[in-house]
Amino acid sequence: MDTAQKSQTPVLEPWAKDPVASRLRAIRIRETLFDLLGIILAALAAVATYVAAEMVADRILEISSVNRMLLWTLAAWSLAGGTLFLAARLLLRHRNFRFHAHEVDKVLGYDDDMLVSYVDLRRGTSISPEQLEAAVLLKSQSIERLKFLDVDQVVDLRPLTRSAWAFGGALAALVVLYVCWASTFSDSLYRCVIPWRPIGPPRMTQITQVLPGTGVAVLGEPVSFSVSTRGASASAATLVYKVDGAAEGIEEKLPLTDRNVYSKDLPGFTRAVTYSVRCNDASKGPFRLLLVDRPVVTAVNLRILPPPYASFAPAREVAGGNASVIAGSHVQISAAVSQPAQGTASGWLQVGAARQPMTSDGRTLFATLAADRAFEYRIGYVDVNGIPCREGLLYQIKTTLDQPPKATLTREDSAIPDAPAGHMDVLLLNASASDDLGIGKLSVSARVLGTLEKRPPYAVDVSPDVPNASVTRAFVFDLRPMKLKPGDTIELIAVAEDTRRPKPQRGESAPLRIPIKQGVERTPTPAATETFIARADVTPKNAEEQQIEQLGKAAQDILQQIEKMLAEKDADQGKLAELANAEEKLADQAKDLADGKQNRDREGAEDQNRDRQGAAEKKDGEEKKDGETGRRGEEGRPRPRPGKNRRQ
């Protein structure tokens, strides 16, 4: 064949890009989409049919939860298998273009199978020149036929139509059941689609709630029974109960008190009760009701903590819930209760209209309140059974102001307080002070009455080492540094200050006035002075000493508990070990405090000895200086002239 003949040979594009193939492919895709939609509708129709059938069967047979779960499992597997089979049958059919070409010729009313012939020629593995020329002619005619084709006439819609009718029928059946069963339709539906949930059989009346159900009630107090329903109502519900030990049960009618709610209060029971309820064709039970005592607060104890500025003061224990405290104190409240609390925060303090939470530990409730003002309170809580306690007693916390300290000053070297004293005497005085919290400072000041001469104030500081509620100090008051003269009158006053902040309160004793006369130095002997101080200085133990005594007492109490438990046959070894550890800790704390106090006392005694030695050395130096001055005066004084003396 020469070049001219080759150029006249017709050429066809590949089959994938052939316009006839594209048209037939669109028909096949459209049919596949309709098949998928039909499969989905068929699956939904199967589900709706199963639900309707099981709901009807459940209404008649009241199928158990286990059987409903078994039926649901079988239905799910059957639905999955049937859907896969239907999908394989519909989606794998009509995969050949020849089928759709034949359907197109059939729809258009042609019996020549021209379109089928064209498809056969193009789908062949090889094509001769004569067949190629025929294919070109058939292609143009096929394209003309396809221009007038309506695709929906070729697509097979029968699977989709049948599935739609089946789904519509199943929905219609569900609608009929909904109209017939009304409010109980949802119960049947839920029992079918979620069989694992404990839903009661569908009835004309559904009991939705029974109170108090299975639980506890208060011994001897009225019990309120309540039945809530849904669906058809009745004039009354029936309560059937039986008390433990009784031969027969008792029926009580619960009247309709609200919409679909039946309730009635029955007198208190003294023994456990088993009961059930009925309303129309619905019933529920049995329920078990145990009886317990209503919880109460059995004891209230207070621990009064002093205000922050008096932290040295010991805490005060008060039995009972009433107390009088100093304003600014903190009150730690601990309440013993008859039943364990429901949780760690199930207790409260009712202070006026406000409710303060209380923490709980077993059968004890705790709370801390700031006593800035007087208030009244009640204690309440909920026990482990959810029962609130009885309304407790009304307790009172009264507040008082921090009072100024009181001071007294007495004279011990004379039976008469205002007896005269020599201007060189040494007085034996006793200064005392007391306060509701603690004395921080105590001093004795002296001044000369009725003189215009300005003299520096003279005072002796006899303050305690640590603040204390009551202080008594016996001391020696030396009049010589005041340089008194016969005829003077001195006034001595004891001044006490407490520890209140920001400004302490002062208290003064009655003035002690002593006339001064001419006299010689009368210094008491050291033995007499020490005897006086030992007899008169009755200062109470400070807070540290009190704490040591309290720790020792607590340790002794624990030892007594251990002895009692050891006397028992079946003593709890774990409890014994805990008590022994607690006693050992208390003893160690007391020993540490005692050792620290002993060291401080020893250091204080050493400092006092050094001060005394320094004062003695200073006094000796002053006396020596005064003697030398006197001798210089005698030596330097001019002698009188005899002649002048005679003239005079």
Side-chain angles (χ1 to χ4, degrees):
M1 183 178 294
D2 55 11
T3 306
Q5 290 178 343
K6 289 183 179 180
S7 61
Q8 296 178 358
T9 302
V11 178
L12 294 176
E13 63 271 14
W15 176 248
K17 297 182 179 180
D18 190 281
V20 176
S22 299
R23 186 66 168 169
L24 295 176
R25 188 180 299 108
I27 294 173
R28 188 179 67 182
I29 292 174
R30 187 179 183 87
E31 187 175 71
T32 302
L33 292 177
F34 281 115
D35 289 342
L36 288 174
L37 183 58
I39 293 170
I40 294 173
L41 289 178
L44 293 177
V47 171
T49 302
Y50 166 76
V51 170
E54 185 183 335
M55 289 171 62
V56 173
D58 187 40
R59 283 275 181 166
I60 299 173
L61 304 176
E62 294 186 1
I63 305 172
S64 65
S65 176
V66 176
N67 291 332
R68 282 184 284 117
M69 290 184 65
L70 180 60
L71 289 174
W72 181 249
T73 303
L74 293 175
W77 282 105
S78 300
L79 176 64
T83 303
L84 291 176
F85 175 76
L86 183 62
R89 181 177 179 183
L90 292 179
L91 298 180
L92 296 180
R93 68 170 185 160
H94 305 163
R95 302 297 298 175
N96 194 342
F97 284 137
R98 192 174 187 281
F99 172 81
H100 293 97
H102 178 74
E103 291 296 319
V104 170
D105 288 339
K106 183 178 179 181
V107 168
L108 295 178
Y110 295 104
D111 296 333
D112 53 5
D113 290 335
M114 181 192 66
L115 192 57
V116 175
S117 300
Y118 177 72
V119 172
D120 290 340
L121 288 175
R122 292 305 309 271
R123 296 302 299 272
T125 56
S126 63
I127 184 170
S128 63
E130 294 77 8
Q131 292 177 338
L132 180 60
E133 293 179 358
V136 172
L137 295 176
L138 292 175
K139 174 184 176 182
S140 59
Q141 296 180 8
S142 299
I143 293 174
E144 290 296 327
R145 288 187 180 185
L146 291 174
K147 288 181 180 179
F148 303 99
L149 176 67
D150 186 2
V151 176
D152 291 335
Q153 295 177 344
V154 180
V155 175
D156 186 7
L157 298 178
R158 289 176 297 176
L160 176 61
T161 304
R162 294 168 183 170
S163 299
W165 277 106
F167 181 63
L171 286 181
L174 290 176
V175 171
V176 171
L177 295 179
Y178 176 78
V179 173
C180 296
W181 295 340
S183 60
T184 60
F185 175 83
S186 59
D187 294 328
S188 295
L189 180 63
Y190 292 150
R191 281 173 60 88
C192 177
V193 298
I194 46 177
W196 53 87
R197 292 187 58 182
I199 303 174
R203 300 180 185 278
M204 180 177 62
T205 300
Q206 293 289 318
I207 297 177
T208 58
Q209 188 180 41
V210 178
L211 295 177
T214 297
V216 295
V218 180
L219 181 68
E221 294 188 11
V223 181
S224 179
F225 291 92
S226 174
V227 179
S228 300
T229 63
R230 186 179 60 192
S233 60
S235 59
T238 303
L239 171 71
V240 181
Y241 68 91
K242 181 179 179 182
V243 180
D244 286 359
E248 298 180 355
I250 302 175
E251 287 192 3
E252 287 284 347
K253 294 295 184 180
L254 307 182
L256 182 65
T257 56
D258 198 357
R259 182 178 180 182
N260 292 335
V261 177
Y262 308 84
S263 60
K264 185 177 182 179
D265 292 342
L266 296 184
F269 300 101
T270 58
R271 286 175 290 178
V273 178
T274 302
Y275 68 97
S276 59
V277 294
R278 297 195 308 267
C279 185
N280 288 336
D281 59 346
S283 62
K284 234 175 191 182
F287 302 98
R288 181 74 172 169
L289 200 60
L290 302 178
L291 301 177
V292 297
D293 293 325
R294 183 174 289 278
V296 294
V297 177
T298 58
V300 178
N301 293 312
L302 305 179
R303 191 168 188 262
I304 312 300
L305 302 179
Y309 61 81
S311 58
F312 57 86
R316 181 163 56 97
E317 305 288 342
V318 178
N322 302 306
S324 178
V325 303
I326 296 174
S329 301
H330 284 74
V331 182
Q332 292 181 346
I333 304 173
S334 62
V337 295
S338 60
Q339 298 290 338
Q342 190 176 49
T344 56
S346 57
W348 66 86
L349 283 174
Q350 191 69 38
V351 183
R355 177 173 286 191
Q356 303 287 339
M358 297 185 75
T359 59
S360 61
D361 182 10
R363 298 194 178 191
T364 307
L365 306 177
F366 303 95
T368 301
L369 295 179
D372 297 325
R373 57 180 179 81
F375 61 89
E376 297 179 342
Y377 69 95
R378 298 180 190 271
I379 299 176
Y381 82 106
V382 178
D383 69 359
V384 290
N385 297 313
I387 300 176
C389 71
R390 300 180 189 273
E391 185 176 4
L393 298 175
L394 184 64
Y395 300 102
Q396 292 183 340
I397 299 295
K398 297 180 179 180
T399 57
T400 58
L401 297 177
D402 185 1
Q403 298 298 318
K406 297 178 181 180
T408 59
L409 181 63
T410 59
R411 183 176 175 186
E412 299 294 334
D413 61 315
S414 175
I416 302 174
D418 56 354
H423 69 289
M424 301 292 286
D425 281 356
V426 176
L427 305 179
L428 300 180
L429 302 180
N430 195 335
S432 300
S434 61
D435 186 66
D436 44 11
L437 288 176
I439 299 296
K441 184 177 180 181
L442 178 62
S443 62
V444 176
S445 63
R447 68 188 183 95
V448 180
L449 299 178
T451 180
L452 299 177
E453 182 181 0
K454 294 184 178 180
R455 299 184 182 182
Y458 184 72
V460 177
D461 189 0
V462 290
S463 301
D465 297 334
V466 293
N468 210 311
S470 179
V471 177
T472 299
R473 286 287 186 267
F475 60 97
V476 176
F477 191 87
D478 194 351
L479 297 178
R480 289 174 296 176
M482 295 186 68
K483 298 180 180 180
L484 300 172
K485 299 177 296 183
D488 289 343
T489 301
I490 63 170
E491 182 181 72
L492 302 172
I493 298 176
V495 180
E497 294 183 0
D498 61 10
T499 59
R500 187 174 180 181
R501 296 293 181 269
K503 183 179 180 180
Q505 301 180 106
R506 291 167 53 94
E508 297 183 354
S509 67
L512 180 63
R513 295 183 174 89
I514 301 175
I516 302 301
K517 65 179 181 177
Q518 181 69 33
V520 298
E521 182 176 357
R522 293 188 298 112
T523 303
T525 62
T529 302
E530 292 179 0
T531 302
F532 162 70
I533 293 176
R535 176 175 57 84
D537 192 357
V538 291
T539 303
K541 298 173 181 176
N542 56 33
E544 189 175 29
E545 293 172 341
Q546 292 180 0
Q547 186 177 5
I548 293 174
E549 286 190 358
Q550 291 176 358
L551 290 173
K553 184 179 179 181
Q556 188 64 29
D557 293 341
I558 293 178
L559 286 175
Q560 292 178 359
Q561 295 182 21
I562 293 176
E563 291 177 357
K564 290 181 180 179
M565 293 185 67
L566 290 175
E568 300 176 357
K569 294 182 179 179
D570 300 329
D572 188 352
Q573 298 299 324
K575 183 66 174 177
L576 282 173
E578 292 179 2
L579 291 176
N581 292 333
E583 189 275 335
E584 184 177 356
K585 290 181 180 179
L586 292 175
D588 291 341
Q589 293 178 9
K591 184 178 182 301
D592 293 340
L593 290 175
D595 292 343
K597 183 178 183 304
Q598 185 177 1
N599 293 334
R600 288 191 295 273
D601 291 344
R602 183 172 59 253
E603 294 173 358
E606 293 175 355
D607 294 340
Q608 189 174 6
N609 291 333
R610 286 193 295 269
D611 294 341
R612 288 178 180 175
Q613 292 177 3
E617 293 175 358
K618 183 178 180 181
K619 182 178 179 182
D620 293 342
E622 291 177 352
E623 290 178 353
K624 184 177 180 180
K625 183 178 179 181
D626 292 341
E628 292 177 355
T629 303
R631 287 194 298 272
R632 286 198 301 269
E634 292 291 336
E635 294 174 356
R637 184 181 302 167
R639 295 181 180 181
R641 297 178 180 179
K644 188 176 181 180
N645 287 339
R646 284 196 299 267
R647 285 195 300 269
Q648 292 177 350

